[in-house]
Amino acid sequence: MKIITEILGMVSTNTYIVANGDEALIIDPEVGDDAPGVPYNLAEKCEELQIKPVAILLTHGHFDHIGAVNGLKEALKLPVYAGKAEEYFLTDPNYNGSAKMGRTPLSVTADILLDDGEILELAGFKIKAISTPGHTAGGICYYFESENVLFSGDVLFADSFGRTDFPGGSQKELADSIINKLFALPPETEVYPGHGMSTSIEREKKSNPIYNYRD
């Protein structure tokens, strides 16, 4: 596994290119805020690395995690995966926030809507979709068990956790998702969040303030 992190857009979103040999997955593709052609730059980056993207995985539907989806779908003909309960966030600019951020309103269609615990086999990886509501209603984290890697979107950050004051957010659900689902993963699991630096389950179980917000 090779993980390339591209920090893109107005709120410095982590877009991940996850490669396995000559194939790759793109997680939460955002556009840059300085050039309208950035959706295609991700495709060019993969071409430069001599890897072929085979799918787009979305952790949730907020504007800064879906900005480049339509451009990449058109350019590379990629299927898009997202949580089943996130469908309305993806398609409605008022829910995904794009209508309120001075950007072109975004409507994204997921080709495959995932249930909690569903197993994907893509690019030679076996990936478990973990439903983690709280930041949004249909948020999904992607767990690569053999590689001990979790892509947590905006649910779990290093020493922090996602906001719950957006539509569909719930402080209780977020705490339950993190404490009961993510913290149940092996402690050596590396965590790659939607913003900021990577961390580990072991570190967050010891230091994350989410325990103070479980009620």
Side-chain angles (χ1 to χ4, degrees):
M1 171 184 267
K2 181 177 183 180
I3 301 171
I4 299 100
T5 306
E6 298 285 340
I7 303 173
L8 300 170
M10 62 176 67
V11 291
S12 299
T13 300
N14 291 333
T15 289
Y16 296 104
I17 300 170
V18 184
N20 185 14
D22 60 358
E23 291 190 328
L25 306 170
I26 299 177
I27 300 177
D28 289 351
E30 167 64 317
V31 297
D33 57 359
D34 57 348
V38 166
Y40 299 96
N41 285 355
L42 284 170
E44 291 169 7
K45 180 68 174 180
C46 291
E47 186 175 354
E48 174 190 321
L49 295 167
Q50 298 185 319
I51 53 178
K52 178 186 177 182
V54 299
I56 296 169
L57 306 184
L58 301 179
T59 61
H60 64 293
H62 282 150
F63 74 95
D64 55 315
H65 293 256
I66 64 172
V69 169
N70 290 334
L72 283 169
K73 278 190 75 172
E74 182 178 350
L76 300 176
K77 312 304 180 190
L78 301 177
V80 175
Y81 293 73
K84 188 170 288 185
E86 201 73 351
E87 186 173 18
Y88 69 99
F89 266 79
L90 297 170
T91 57
D92 190 329
N94 292 303
Y95 279 107
N96 64 43
S98 60
K100 304 173 184 177
M101 297 303 296
R103 295 171 61 162
T104 301
L106 282 169
S107 180
V108 168
T109 300
D111 301 288
I112 297 94
L113 295 170
L114 301 169
D115 292 312
D116 185 30
E118 193 162 341
I119 302 296
L120 312 176
E121 294 189 11
L122 297 167
F125 296 115
K126 185 173 285 189
I127 308 156
K128 183 177 183 179
I130 303 175
S131 177
T132 48
H135 179 62
T136 62
I140 290 280
C141 292
Y142 296 98
Y143 176 47
F144 294 62
E145 183 175 4
S146 295
E147 292 76 20
N148 287 321
V149 167
L150 176 79
F151 292 92
S152 64
D154 286 1
V155 173
L156 179 64
F157 300 123
D159 301 321
S160 189
F161 51 86
R163 291 173 60 169
T164 58
D165 56 339
F166 296 126
S170 166
Q171 180 177 296
K172 182 182 185 305
E173 286 188 336
L174 185 73
D176 286 344
S177 292
I178 293 173
I179 295 170
N180 297 327
K181 289 190 172 182
L182 300 189
F183 285 177
L185 297 175
E188 65 271 18
T189 302
E190 296 178 82
V191 179
Y192 289 84
H195 304 272
M197 68 180 190
S198 61
T199 183
S200 70
I201 293 297
E202 182 177 31
R203 171 180 167 169
E204 298 312 310
K205 286 178 74 172
K206 292 177 180 177
S207 63
N208 199 284
I210 190 64
Y211 294 107
N212 300 322
Y213 294 85
R214 68 175 77 194
D215 299 322

